[in-house]
Amino acid sequence: MKVLMIQRAPQFSPNSVEKDRAILEAVGACLTAQGHAVSVVSEDGLAEIPSCDVIFTMGRLPETLEALSAVPADCRIINTSQGVASCSRCRLESIMAQVGTPVPPKEGSDGYWLKRGDAAAQSEDDVQFAPDKTSLEAKIRQMTQRGITQYTVSAHVVGDLVKFYGVSGTGFFRYYYPTDDGNTKFRDEERNGSACHYPFESSAVQTDAEHLAEAVGIKVYGGDCIVRSDGSFCFIDFNDWPSFSRCREEAAEAIASLVEF
């Protein structure tokens, strides 16, 4: 099969350009080893989408999503443009409410998180912690002054921060505690302190993640959840195609297997 792989534009990989490129290259290597004809392009220089059988894309630019939406129906796309667009926080929040994904409350006594709602985070200013309502209101004003008028607000939840990665339909699902290895993007993970490793049902997190991925319309996903001391959990982030840097080779094989689905 002719397989096209689209690299993500650098602005959508803050502090993770090399990691994001590495997972796409690893998937490409698996597909090449399987005998597929693989070509790789960056969405920054994507003038038009060539004829192909399958597209594996990490692209997030509006132009990329528009071009992908016009691809002939007999060409399979992983992840779809509709699914990627649905990972913007405002849309995602609505989908989570519809499918019953456990999420943080709107109000709390431990601070608040303000997150850009119209697109994926492109800088640390797109995800900010506010210790109280006064600070939150100031940060909202600052965000709107940057031209970002769509945003979400949720209460901070105390507990273990857990990052998870999955590939729908393959059985692949892994989770990690970022404070165990210190591998962070903006160091926001440190807000919850070192992980206590509270017991929880990882299968329940996987079930909720797979359900959400299906509702959003993506196959390759990742996210963050907070596990409270009683084992309950809530999702605080969910996104299309993370870097899988902690489990890259395993993930690449699972993602590559989607070519046969």
Side-chain angles (χ1 to χ4, degrees), residues 151-212:
Y151 53 83
T152 64
V153 174
S154 60
H156 177 72
V157 178
V158 175
D160 286 343
L161 176 63
V162 177
K163 298 191 78 70
F164 58 84
Y165 308 90
V167 183
S168 288
T170 68
F172 180 88
F173 186 82
R174 302 288 185 274
Y175 69 89
Y176 303 88
Y177 297 87
T179 57
D180 283 357
D181 61 18
N183 185 3
T184 73
K185 184 177 290 187
F186 300 130
R187 310 200 74 82
D188 288 332
E189 295 89 343
E190 297 175 356
R191 185 69 58 178
N192 284 71
S194 298
C196 295
H197 302 93
Y198 297 125
F200 72 103
E201 293 186 20
S202 60
S203 60
V205 174
Q206 180 177 3
T207 296
D208 282 343
E210 295 275 313
H211 191 194
L212 181 57

Side-chain angles (χ1 to χ4, degrees), residues 46 59 191 227:
L46 187 63
R191 185 69 58 178
V227 176

